[in-house]
Amino acid sequence: MKIAVSSDNHLDVNRIDVEKALNFQSDWLLGHDISYYFFGGDLFNDFQQTRNYFSRMRQLLGPRAAAYFIAGNHDMLKNAPHQLVEHCPDPGYLHQQFVDLPGTRWRVIGNNGWYDYSFSAYANQPRRVAQWKNAYWLDSAIDQPFDDQQQMANVLQQVKKQLDDARQAGKQVIFLTHFAPRAELLSPQPSFVSSPRQQYFYQMFRAMMGSSKLGDLLEQSGIVKLVFSGHLHGQHPVITRHGVSYYNQAVGVRNKRSNEWQANNFFDQWRQTLKIIEL
């Protein structure tokens, strides 16, 4: 059995023809005998468009393969009330859900995740970070009734229950989330970050990347073996800590302002960043 994992396709930001992407990805997955396709968030800046895409992909894949997704922060920007994001009824939506892979002990657990500023030098000044976020960061548009620390606490509570249930069922776990569970997954500080203002903005940027508390929980579980996260664009090598291997499979963005791709076009970039695991 082969599973494939991708994230951060940003079809709208990358100005990719949706029909062409949908047909290409579905055909490629079927042509390479992929049984399960998991997507780690950030397909569109619109949750409804992301839901529609995966509904149609599941139809195209038919009985030969299945597709599941979680939401990234970009998906949550539009048509994404908090209760819907937390409890969306779509059969392919994996947040707070799981899939047991037939004929194996593997359970794939999904959770969108969040962040608590723990990657930042300003982690102990949450009010200051929150003020910066509200002024500069796109996530300020997301419908969220809690502050970021409470939202991350909710995530940890959800994941703990998911892991406890998996342990009782005797499962090994593959965990899918959007935000980074380890600061070590971030790229080294760019050389152009030099002035005090640049340093300040860089630390604020790091605050929104994920939470080390999630990595701690996953590593302490004893049953999580593979973790797939997105959110961080660019190339990030696999790291392994306490028996847990962390992967990043983000496609990233190419536009007039930046080019995060290693390939010449979206479809080659998707193939090159796609993580395939044979179980």
Coordinates of all heavy atoms in Angstrom, one line a residue, residues 41 45 48 60 105 107 126 243:
G41 N -3.3 21.0 4.1 CA -3.8 22.4 4.2 C -3.2 23.4 3.3 O -2.1 23.2 2.7
N45 N -7.6 30.2 -0.6 CA -7.9 31.1 0.4 C -9.4 31.1 0.7 O -10.0 32.2 0.9 CB -7.4 32.5 0.0 CG -5.9 32.7 0.1 OD1 -5.2 31.7 0.3 ND2 -5.4 33.9 -0.2
Q48 N -14.6 26.8 1.4 CA -15.6 26.2 0.5 C -14.9 25.7 -0.8 O -15.2 24.6 -1.3 CB -16.7 27.2 0.2 CG -17.9 26.5 -0.6 CD -18.5 25.4 0.2 OE1 -18.9 25.5 1.3 NE2 -18.6 24.2 -0.5
L60 N -13.4 11.6 -8.7 CA -12.5 11.2 -9.8 C -11.7 10.0 -9.5 O -11.4 9.1 -10.3 CB -11.6 12.4 -10.2 CG -12.3 13.6 -10.9 CD1 -11.3 14.7 -11.0 CD2 -12.8 13.2 -12.3
R105 N -1.3 -2.0 10.9 CA -1.6 -1.4 12.2 C -1.6 0.1 12.2 O -1.7 0.7 13.2 CB -0.5 -1.9 13.2 CG -0.6 -3.4 13.6 CD 0.5 -3.7 14.6 NE 0.4 -2.8 15.8 CZ 1.5 -2.3 16.5 NH1 2.7 -2.7 16.1 NH2 1.3 -1.6 17.6
R107 N -2.7 3.9 11.8 CA -3.8 4.8 11.8 C -3.3 6.2 11.5 O -2.3 6.7 12.0 CB -4.4 4.8 13.2 CG -5.5 5.9 13.4 CD -6.2 5.8 14.7 NE -7.1 4.6 14.7 CZ -7.9 4.4 15.7 NH1 -8.0 5.2 16.8 NH2 -8.7 3.3 15.7
P126 N 3.0 37.4 24.9 CA 1.9 37.1 24.0 C 1.0 38.3 23.6 O 0.6 38.4 22.4 CB 1.1 36.1 24.7 CG 1.4 36.3 26.2 CD 2.8 36.7 26.2
G243 N 12.5 8.8 17.9 CA 11.7 7.8 17.1 C 10.6 8.4 16.2 O 9.9 7.6 15.6

